[in-house]
Amino acid sequence: MSPPFRRRSLFALLFDFLAFFDPIVSAARAGYVVGTIDGQEYLVRDDRRPSLYTKDYGDCMGGSLINVTRFDAAYYKDNMTILFHLGGETALKNESIMMNIGVYAYGESRFDLTFNPCNANIRSACPIQAGTSIEASGVIPIGQKDVAGIPPIALSIPDFEGQAILRIFSNSTQRQIGCYSGVVTNGSSFSHPKWVSSILGGFTVIAVLASFATAIYGEEILEMRKHYAHSFSVFVVFAAWQHIYFSGALSVNWPSVLVAFWSNYAWAGGMVYLEPMQNTINDFIGTNKRNISHVGAAGPGVANPSLGDGYDIQQIYSRDELPETFKFPSLDDSLVYRSGEFITKRHLFEKLMAKRAFADSSGGHSWYGNPVKPGLPLPGNFSGFVGTLAHNSIPASNAFMTGFLWFLTLFSGVALSMIAFKLLLEGMSAAKIVKRDRLLYFRGHWLGYTLLALLRTLFIGFFMLMFLILFQFSYLCSSRPIAVACVVFLVILLSLGGLAGDACFYRIRLGHYTSEADRLNIEKRRILKVIPWLGFERNSKFPRSEDKRYAGSLPWRKIGPAPQDRTIHEDTKMFGWLAARFRRTRWWFFALWLVYEFVRACFLAGASSSPMVQVFGLLAVELVAFFVLVVLRPFEGQRLNVIAVYFLGSSKVATVALSAAFNVRFGLPRILATVLGIIVIVIQGLLTIAVLICIILGAISSYMSVMRNRDTFHPERWIAIRAKYFDHLDFKVKDIPRPRETKPESDSGPLVPVPEVPKGPSFAVSSVRRMPKVEDEDEEFMNEISGGDASTSQLDLGELIAIRLKGTVVGQRPLSIQSNLSNTTLPYGARLHRASWSTMDFAENLAPARPSRLSNPPLMPEACSRFSRDCVLLPPARVLGGESAVRYPSPLSMGANRSNTPTETPGNA
């Protein structure tokens, strides 16, 4: 055993010794090559991902005389080399050939190389012979000028749009005998179906569970429907996902970025590739795949002379040169810098070919594709729905059967899930894990729930099935799938259409309606305070206001149910799967939606062979649908209106409008087409984000709805939000407009709602009248409340001034000393009386003792202003010692038997 071991050791030592002097051999042994990255040389792996490389390829000539079994090309920026590999066979005998490799990026030629395989050391193709396998491979060193046409962004931009075309020419006939095209990519893409589709599918499952929970929780039908209507609809979720994917059904030349982005949503349209399923469908259809150019795509095996820039045979075969004098254009004696030294391209090519021979023996380059399958378009062509399907490796002939089989799988899964959930509940109830009365209504009506869930699934998949059926009719590849499509078409149209018509007839037959004249006011508005817009309001709901500007009005009719009429929501058991989410006055919207989806499917599928009619006809349909949706706002839930009306409607209009530019008749440059494709991705990406956010909010609101009967609710900080949400539900179920908002006094201020005045009992006192009482007959008490008796009642300063103003002089002393000290604790000038009494009331109580009026009495305005208009100036009772202080007897101090006629004052005589 030792000698063989010694021989192997000596061989290894010899190889290491040689490798010490030749770094290329050392790198080849270890699977590495020398590469330059950012100006520094490194050893890089031979199986690293190239900067640009080809994937799947197809015959672009039709009837090629060389059957190519492998074709790949790669460009390595780090060591400035192009690697290609060609494998195949031919029936030609002893034919010398010429080869041309062209690389095209965004519709423009970026690299072109014509060479003789004999001068490139491709011995199996020099010449080609029948029965001899062609194994052509090469590593071509290039310089900066050779790749100057490839922009640096092409190495990193997602979904680089390029093609590598290999053309083979016969030297004897100087004609093309073979053409193969492969798509070129840099490995970066918007297509990540494994994790993007998983995320979208997970959110969709959350929406399904949240919606289902609100549908089964509760005992009272109307209350259950109210909460179910505000959960986020699975129907709207699938409408958004299917809109995004089936946007690729238009027969235009799509940019590669859009097709890659749409592949993440293919599962929602039933386009999921499964190898056993596709093999079964192929056996069912047979070999009749039909020419896919009928629906706008370039198929393999068909002549495509204008592919790329085409070719000029005069540039390949010149009259001044013979074929045997052709040399490899890039392999000359010019110097290139490699591994720290300058070396000629020819010498470097020989070293690289030796390195390539070693790499081929160990597996070599693994970044290559395979021949395209029958029914798929030519790689690098993304025209129409065929190009969209090709990204998922599904032929156009298999589209209907693939979607139909996956829909049957979903349909069966829904039924089995309902049965499994019923059994799970019963088992948990028997095991006392849950209470016996938990979800009692659902457990008693689970068969009805299962039937309604299946009908709802059919309603959700209506557009997908209609489109695929009509697309199969327009494609007409085989009689078997056509027969299946006819049966499915009749079943869906008759069953779903018949049930929708029965719901409308039932409602109209049992309902009572009123028709009134109305007007549609056209209001001038601005979106974002910049974009002019028109709003439409019915005058019956929103009368004309002076605060708004109007462009005019249109005659309208208001047709609605009678005020006390029975609503369709009260028949949720029968038609809840159709109308439960729509407003009370928009219950019929499901019928309008089915008509809209059918018309949309007709334009997308039926007009696939007429791109101009298809695009602009569908654009008109989407514009009308968007206008109708904005006017109707059919959903009872606010989130559903935001998504289904505004986000989804505007996304459909914008997508179709931008897609019109991709029509091949307009010849849009591919770089500009890619820019427009990025804009479409942004629009549909915003729609996706909005749907995901609403799914989360819908799950939260569904949690609140399910916990509505619980006394405790967590988290507690959501209690106020839950109460507000329930109030919102109670208001929306009435389907009446909210109170109008009015402006404050300042015109520049924002609109504020008018606060509602609480209605209830109220009490207000406007006047009080005192009635006579017993104490009014008490003389002492009456003297007390009137300010004292006659001996203590004094004329105040205001009364004295009033007398002087009338010309009566009562004394000569200054006014400051004409006042006496108060006999009470009240401030000076204050009178003792009860605040609830008035002098008039008091005078009426003493009517018998009321003094008579003087003839022409001197009135005192200041003094009488505090009494009634019947007050008079009384004569003085006495004059104290010549002082000017005049005292008057109070009329209240007089008895009933006293004289009420006042005596005249001497001074006033």
Side-chain angles (χ1 to χ4, degrees):
M1 296 296 294
S2 58
F5 175 78
R6 186 179 299 109
R7 284 195 296 270
R8 287 195 298 271
S9 300
L10 291 175
F11 179 79
L13 290 175
L14 178 61
F15 193 91
D16 291 340
F17 178 78
L18 295 176
F20 178 79
F21 293 98
D22 193 347
I24 296 181
V25 176
S26 176
R29 185 190 68 146
Y32 289 85
V33 295
V34 178
T36 303
I37 303 176
D38 296 333
Q40 299 293 328
E41 290 188 347
Y42 299 91
L43 289 177
V44 294
R45 293 190 60 86
D46 179 63
D47 59 352
R48 69 197 182 280
R49 190 176 75 180
S51 302
L52 293 174
Y53 59 96
T54 60
K55 294 178 68 177
D56 294 347
Y57 63 92
D59 184 0
C60 55
M61 177 180 173
S64 294
L65 299 180
I66 297 180
N67 181 26
V68 174
T69 58
R70 175 177 175 180
F71 167 62
D72 62 83
Y75 163 59
Y76 293 90
K77 182 183 177 182
D78 48 21
N79 60 358
M80 296 298 292
T81 57
I82 289 180
L83 182 149
F84 73 94
H85 194 127
L86 177 66
E89 56 187 12
T90 182
L92 297 177
K93 297 181 179 179
N94 196 19
E95 183 70 30
S96 298
I97 60 174
M98 295 292 294
M99 293 185 176
N100 174 269
I101 296 179
V103 178
Y104 299 87
Y106 296 101
E108 298 181 6
S109 178
R110 305 294 182 178
F111 179 79
D112 186 79
L113 178 63
T114 303
F115 61 93
N116 189 332
C118 296
N119 296 331
N121 294 330
I122 306 176
R123 301 303 177 186
S124 60
C126 182
I128 57 174
Q129 298 181 4
T132 301
S133 299
I134 301 175
E135 291 292 335
S137 62
V139 182
I140 306 173
I142 57 176
Q144 289 293 340
K145 65 178 182 179
D146 297 323
V147 292
I150 301 178
I153 192 175
L155 307 181
S156 58
I157 187 174
D159 300 293
F160 172 77
E161 187 173 310
Q163 288 176 296
I165 302 175
L166 172 65
R167 288 187 169 93
I168 304 173
F169 302 91
S170 171
N171 290 343
S172 60
T173 61
Q174 295 187 4
R175 292 184 179 180
Q176 179 177 277
I177 60 175
C179 176
Y180 288 88
S181 172
V183 63
V184 177
T185 181
N186 56 17
S188 179
S189 176
F190 284 113
S191 176
H192 299 284
K194 290 185 178 180
W195 63 271
V196 174
S197 298
S198 300
I199 293 175
L200 297 178
F203 273 87
T204 304
V205 171
I206 293 175
V208 171
L209 296 178
S211 178
F212 181 67
T214 57
I216 66 174
Y217 180 79
E219 300 293 336
E220 206 275 325
I221 294 295
L222 291 179
E223 185 70 15
M224 296 166 65
R225 190 219 65 86
K226 179 177 67 175
H227 289 271
Y228 171 77
H230 289 265
S231 62
F232 201 69
S233 175
V234 182
F235 158 70
V236 174
V237 174
F238 273 95
W241 300 161
Q242 290 176 359
H243 148 65
I244 294 175
Y245 181 70
F246 288 114
S247 297
L250 295 174
S251 299
V252 296
N253 191 10
W254 299 111
S256 59
V257 290
L258 271 180
V259 176
F261 175 75
W262 289 334
S263 66
N264 300 315
Y265 301 82
W267 62 273
M271 298 296 110
V272 180
Y273 181 83
L274 190 64
E275 188 70 26
M277 178 184 289
Q278 294 301 313
N279 293 335
T280 303
I281 296 174
N282 290 333
D283 295 338
F284 177 75
I285 293 177
T287 58
N288 184 13
K289 297 290 185 180
R290 190 165 179 176
N291 185 5
I292 58 177
S293 61
H294 175 72
V295 287
V302 181
N304 293 277
S306 60
L307 187 65
D309 283 341
Y311 64 92
D312 186 359
I313 196 67
Q314 297 299 328
Q315 295 182 357
I316 297 175
Y317 291 97
S318 174
R319 297 178 181 178
D320 298 334
E321 295 180 343
L322 296 176
E324 46 269 10
T325 62
F326 274 75
K327 297 182 179 180
F328 219 104
S330 296
L331 300 182
D332 50 23
D333 293 330
S334 60
L335 298 177
V336 294
Y337 185 79
R338 288 290 192 280
S339 303
E341 62 177 350
F342 287 95
I343 188 173
T344 63
K345 284 186 178 181
R346 188 180 303 279
H347 186 199
L348 178 61
F349 174 73
E350 293 174 355
K351 286 189 174 184
L352 291 175
M353 287 302 296
K355 161 69 177 64
R356 181 61 188 167
F358 181 86
D360 286 341
S361 64
S362 59
H365 174 61
S366 59
W367 300 93
Y368 61 91
N370 300 305
V372 295
K373 297 179 180 180
L376 296 179
L378 199 65
N381 181 272
F382 307 102
S383 297
F385 189 52
V386 179
T388 304
L389 288 171
H391 208 284
N392 298 93
S393 302
I394 298 176
S397 58
N398 297 13
F400 163 69
M401 292 301 301
T402 301
F404 178 62
L405 290 178
W406 280 116
F407 180 79
L408 290 181
T409 303
L410 175 64
F411 200 75
S412 303
V414 170
L416 293 176
S417 298
M418 298 292 289
I419 297 174
F421 184 67
K422 160 67 176 176
L423 296 177
L424 178 64
L425 284 178
E426 296 299 337
M428 296 176 66
S429 176
K432 297 182 179 180
I433 299 177
V434 298
K435 296 180 180 180
R436 290 187 177 274
D437 60 346
R438 186 71 67 200
L439 300 178
L440 193 61
Y441 186 87
F442 167 77
R443 289 158 60 187
H445 301 80
W446 69 275
L447 286 177
Y449 269 98
T450 303
L451 178 61
L452 295 180
L454 294 177
L455 291 175
R456 185 68 175 176
T457 304
L458 186 63
F459 182 75
I460 292 174
F462 174 77
F463 169 74
M464 180 199 76
L465 293 174
M466 283 294 105
F467 167 77
L468 294 177
I469 290 171
L470 295 177
F471 181 78
Q472 188 69 51
F473 290 161
S474 64
Y475 191 59
L476 294 174
C477 65
S478 177
S479 60
R480 293 180 179 179
I482 291 296
V484 177
C486 289
V487 174
V488 176
F489 177 79
L490 293 176
V491 170
I492 294 178
L493 201 62
L494 293 179
S495 61
L496 196 58
L499 290 173
D502 180 64
C504 295
F505 177 75
Y506 174 84
R507 177 73 184 103
I508 294 173
R509 181 170 57 88
L510 296 181
H512 299 84
Y513 293 88
T514 60
S515 178
E516 301 176 359
D518 199 355
R519 295 199 69 83
L520 195 65
N521 296 326
I522 306 175
E523 179 190 356
K524 294 182 179 180
R525 298 177 181 175
R526 287 187 179 272
I527 299 178
L528 301 177
K529 299 182 179 180
V530 176
I531 305 174
W533 194 253
L534 294 178
F536 297 87
E537 296 179 346
R538 286 192 299 172
N539 194 67
S540 58
K541 284 191 174 183
F542 302 98
R544 295 177 69 95
S545 174
E546 296 181 355
D547 299 330
K548 298 181 179 180
R549 297 182 304 164
Y550 295 93
S553 62
L554 298 174
W556 200 257
R557 297 294 299 180
K558 178 184 177 183
I559 302 176
Q564 303 300 327
D565 191 23
R566 179 184 178 90
T567 65
I568 198 173
H569 292 158
E570 299 179 23
D571 298 311
T572 303
K573 291 183 180 179
M574 297 178 58
F575 307 113
W577 62 280
L578 280 174
R581 294 191 185 274
F582 300 125
R583 292 162 50 189
R584 180 178 58 86
T585 57
R586 302 288 188 270
W587 61 267
W588 42 264
F589 184 77
F590 60 84
L592 184 62
W593 182 266
L594 289 176
V595 174
Y596 158 69
E597 293 283 46
F598 183 77
V599 173
R600 183 165 165 250
C602 290
F603 274 99
L604 276 176
S608 57
S609 58
S610 302
M612 296 296 289
V613 176
Q614 181 193 45
V615 173
F616 290 100
L618 185 62
L619 179 60
V621 170
E622 297 295 359
L623 285 172
V624 173
F626 181 62
F627 170 78
V628 173
L629 283 171
V630 171
V631 173
L632 294 180
R633 292 188 297 275
F635 292 95
E636 187 172 307
Q638 185 174 359
R639 288 186 301 270
L640 295 178
N641 281 325
V642 170
I643 296 298
V645 175
Y646 298 103
F647 275 91
L648 183 57
S650 60
S651 177
K652 288 180 178 180
V653 173
T655 299
V656 177
L658 292 175
S659 299
F662 300 137
N663 194 300
V664 293
R665 180 178 298 183
F666 299 139
L668 187 70
R670 300 307 297 171
I671 294 180
L672 183 56
T674 302
V675 173
L676 292 180
I678 296 294
I679 296 176
V680 174
I681 290 176
V682 171
I683 294 173
Q684 297 182 348
L686 293 177
L687 171 63
T688 301
I689 294 173
V691 171
L692 297 182
I693 292 175
C694 287
I695 288 176
I696 296 175
L697 296 178
I700 295 174
S701 64
S702 297
Y703 168 69
M704 294 179 180
S705 297
V706 172
M707 302 293 289
R708 61 183 178 269
N709 295 327
R710 299 291 183 90
D711 296 333
T712 59
F713 180 77
H714 298 285
E716 294 182 355
R717 62 178 180 273
W718 287 5
I719 294 178
I721 300 177
R722 184 180 69 159
K724 185 178 180 180
Y725 174 65
F726 290 164
D727 293 339
H728 173 73
L729 300 188
D730 294 335
F731 176 80
K732 294 295 290 185
V733 76
K734 301 175 184 178
D735 195 16
I736 58 176
R738 289 189 176 275
R740 295 185 61 89
E741 297 179 348
T742 58
K743 291 184 177 181
E745 295 182 359
S746 176
D747 293 337
S748 61
L751 295 176
V752 295
V754 177
E756 295 184 0
V757 179
K759 297 181 179 179
S762 59
F763 181 79
V765 179
S766 59
S767 64
V768 177
R769 183 179 182 86
R770 184 179 182 276
M771 301 302 294
K773 297 183 178 180
V774 176
E775 57 265 24
D776 295 342
E777 300 178 358
D778 187 355
E779 181 178 355
E780 182 179 357
F781 173 76
M782 299 305 295
N783 289 333
E784 179 183 352
I785 67 173
S786 62
D789 56 9
S791 61
T792 60
S793 178
Q794 299 180 7
L795 181 68
D796 62 0
L797 187 60
E799 294 173 346
L800 184 59
I801 296 175
I803 295 174
R804 290 199 175 195
L805 291 176
K806 291 294 183 177
T808 304
V809 180
V810 297
Q812 302 296 329
R813 298 186 63 182
L815 293 176
S816 61
I817 62 174
Q818 291 184 6
S819 61
N820 296 334
L821 294 176
S822 174
N823 295 327
T824 65
T825 59
L826 295 176
Y828 178 79
R831 289 182 177 274
L832 180 62
H833 62 85
R834 293 186 179 181
S836 62
W837 294 2
S838 67
T839 307
M840 181 181 297
D841 295 336
F842 184 73
E844 292 178 356
N845 294 337
L846 299 178
R850 186 174 181 178
S852 62
R853 300 174 180 263
L854 291 175
S855 59
N856 298 326
L859 297 179
M860 297 178 294
E862 292 83 3
C864 290
S865 62
R866 293 176 306 206
F867 300 95
S868 68
R869 60 185 180 180
D870 297 329
C871 66
V872 297
L873 181 65
L874 298 179
R878 59 178 177 171
V879 180
L880 299 178
E883 295 182 355
S884 298
V886 182
R887 297 181 181 270
Y888 299 91
S890 173
L892 302 178
S893 62
M894 301 178 181
N897 55 352
R898 294 183 182 181
S899 175
N900 293 332
T901 304
T903 58
E904 295 184 1
T905 305
N908 295 338

